[in-house]
Amino acid sequence: MKRILAFVIVLSFSVVMPITSYNDLDKLLLVTSIVIDKTNSDTYSIYFEAFTPATSTSGMKKEGERSILHLYADNVTDLITKVNAQSNLKLNFTHNRIIFFTERAASDGIDNILDVFSRGEEFLKRSFIAIFHGDPEKLYSLNLTGEKFFGLSVISQLSNTRKLIGVTEDMTIIRLHNESSLGSKTCIIPTIKIVHKPNADYLDFKGSGILRNYKLIGELNDTQTIYTNFLLNRIITTGIETINPSSDNKSMGLRVTKAKTKTKYNYSNGQFHISKYITVHSIARGSFGKIELSNENVKKIEKEASSRLKDGFIKLFTDNKEKGIDILNVQEDFYRHYPKYSKTNILDNTELIVNVNVIVDISTDPKDFN
């Protein structure tokens, strides 16, 4: 009986798992990033970054060969036919890390073409989505320090930017589909641009694009993105600018070490009230001019920082509300808490109430710090 069971298990694995070898790898072109643009004639212009895996039996480390494929396509069939015709190797998308849409392509809507790269079995639902400002041809001509492949480099930079600065938020294909099907169908995705300097070029993740029904309808700068992440309880760490009470007209910076946002909802008389209680722990990061971190000065710093953040949060929500943009997806929150009134378009009747408490957790004089 045990022998029969073992035979069945082995047979099952041989049926489910494809047999691969170094020869199989040598025949693949592994895609790591995709950039999708649109021409004036509504034709898609698509770039694929890929590499051929290097195999070795000598124990020596080898790098794969990098390739850039570019094609124009008017429809799905055209795309599939042309991309396979451009290479003598079979394209494999199981290693793709990110899909970029240019500003022009995103403004026209990304749902039609995105479906091509999310429905097939070898396409990853966890691939990241972002918007690129600029000429897509220049992306793959950059000389990136420490990384040969653009797709791998940009993912590492995106992760560092989110964790260390808070000006981005990870947006994957599956998350984009989920958020685009709920409430106001609004989601926020990172934007990237190339910054040209005399000695070098580099990638800059600053700000976000606002998508509604898969179409780009607006953008947030880096500060607005940070404010949005605070309100949505997504901040890991970031910087806050406030006053230097020891020097007139000078500023100082605080480094956020921990942030927590709690939200309460209330609906009465046709008004939806959202109350955000935001607690921010921070340390002194540096200042222009000399500074004395006495108990009195620390309290001034905390009060000013709290006030600046509160004003920024309210302005962010109000400005987008006037444009009809549900930046916090309050429509979905309203539906979840008050499903009886789910058909009500609640954004115009929503009030945001914010309570901010910034705490400075360090002082140069511990005896004078409470």
Side-chain angles (χ1 to χ4, degrees):
M1 180 66 184
K2 292 183 179 179
R3 290 183 178 179
I4 295 175
L5 180 60
F7 175 76
V8 172
I9 293 174
V10 171
L11 179 62
S12 299
F13 272 96
S14 66
V15 172
V16 174
M17 298 181 66
I19 300 175
T20 58
S21 66
Y22 283 120
N23 290 331
D24 293 325
L25 288 176
D26 288 339
K27 296 175 183 178
L28 293 179
L29 200 57
L30 304 180
V31 176
T32 57
S33 65
I34 303 170
V35 179
I36 301 174
D37 191 15
K38 232 178 178 184
T39 67
N40 294 329
S41 59
D42 285 338
T43 297
Y44 286 105
S45 174
I46 308 173
Y47 297 81
F48 299 89
E49 180 195 43
F51 70 95
T52 307
T55 59
S56 173
T57 57
S58 64
M60 298 179 62
K61 183 179 178 181
K62 292 185 178 181
E63 283 191 338
E65 182 179 350
R66 182 173 184 251
S67 300
I68 305 297
L69 303 180
H70 179 220
L71 61 88
Y72 294 96
D74 295 318
N75 52 60
V76 174
T77 304
D78 203 21
L79 167 62
I80 296 173
T81 301
K82 288 186 176 181
V83 73
N84 285 301
Q86 278 209 11
S87 174
N88 63 330
L89 302 175
K90 176 178 171 52
L91 265 69
N92 183 287
F93 294 89
T94 57
H95 289 71
N96 184 55
R97 303 303 304 276
I98 190 165
I99 300 176
F100 279 107
F101 288 89
T102 63
E103 186 178 8
R104 178 166 46 190
S107 298
D108 286 345
I110 69 173
D111 50 335
N112 291 330
I113 190 72
L114 181 62
D115 187 73
V116 178
F117 297 105
S118 60
R119 189 170 298 276
E121 61 181 12
E122 71 176 35
F123 295 107
L124 301 180
K125 300 294 190 298
R126 63 179 181 271
S127 293
F128 291 90
I129 301 289
I131 292 175
F132 171 66
H133 285 277
D135 183 357
E137 289 188 7
K138 295 182 179 180
L139 275 178
Y140 294 124
S141 62
L142 294 174
N143 185 15
L144 300 175
T145 304
E147 180 54 66
K148 182 178 180 180
F149 301 104
F150 171 77
L152 304 180
S153 175
V154 76
I155 287 298
S156 297
Q157 186 175 341
L158 176 61
S159 176
N160 290 337
T161 304
R162 180 179 66 85
K163 294 176 181 178
L164 302 178
I165 307 175
V167 297
T168 64
E169 178 61 24
D170 293 345
M171 180 58 65
T172 60
I173 290 178
I174 187 64
R175 181 175 171 182
L176 175 64
H177 284 316
N178 288 339
E179 294 189 7
S180 296
S181 63
L182 300 174
S184 60
K185 302 179 179 7
T186 302
C187 59
I188 300 171
I189 68 176
T191 59
I192 185 176
K193 62 181 179 180
I194 299 175
V195 177
H196 300 282
K197 294 292 184 180
N199 298 327
D201 298 331
Y202 66 91
L203 302 174
D204 189 18
F205 272 106
K206 280 192 174 180
S208 306
I210 306 172
L211 266 64
R212 183 168 62 206
N213 287 320
Y214 296 97
K215 288 187 176 182
L216 182 66
I217 61 170
E219 294 194 359
L220 303 174
N221 60 33
D222 52 350
T223 301
Q224 292 169 332
T225 301
I226 291 173
Y227 287 164
T228 303
N229 286 336
F230 264 118
L231 290 169
L232 296 176
N233 195 32
R234 296 173 178 172
I235 284 292
I236 298 175
T237 184
T238 189
I240 302 174
E241 184 179 355
T242 184
I243 61 167
N244 178 352
S246 300
S247 302
D248 293 337
N249 300 320
K250 300 291 185 179
S251 64
M252 70 168 296
L254 300 177
R255 185 68 177 171
V256 174
T257 57
K258 184 171 62 175
K260 182 68 175 179
T261 300
K262 296 182 179 180
T263 307
K264 293 183 178 181
Y265 305 95
N266 180 58
Y267 181 62
S268 61
N269 300 321
Q271 292 291 318
F272 187 38
H273 304 278
I274 301 179
S275 299
K276 298 279 186 179
Y277 300 87
I278 303 175
T279 302
V280 180
H281 286 266
S282 64
I283 58 175
R285 189 180 188 184
S287 65
F288 288 108
K290 295 182 179 179
I291 185 170
E292 178 186 356
L293 290 178
S294 62
N295 187 293
E296 180 182 359
N297 282 345
V298 167
K299 289 181 177 179
K300 289 180 181 179
I301 293 168
E302 293 174 338
K303 182 178 179 180
E304 178 65 20
S306 300
S307 178
R308 288 191 180 191
L309 284 179
K310 179 180 178 179
D311 291 345
F313 297 154
I314 296 297
K315 178 174 173 52
L316 169 73
F317 178 75
T318 302
D319 288 349
N320 282 280
K321 175 183 172 181
E322 292 175 352
K323 299 174 185 176
I325 299 176
D326 188 0
I327 195 70
L328 302 180
N329 210 355
V330 299
Q331 189 68 42
E332 174 63 15
D333 291 335
F334 181 68
Y335 169 76
R336 290 181 182 275
H337 290 83
Y338 303 95
K340 180 180 178 181
Y341 309 98
S342 60
K343 294 184 179 180
T344 304
N345 189 345
I346 202 61
L347 180 61
D348 290 338
N349 297 320
T350 298
E351 179 187 9
L352 178 65
I353 304 166
V354 182
N355 297 275
V356 184
N357 182 25
V358 175
I359 302 168
V360 179
D361 292 321
I362 190 169
S363 172
T364 56
D365 185 2
K367 296 180 182 179
D368 192 26
F369 184 78
N370 295 323

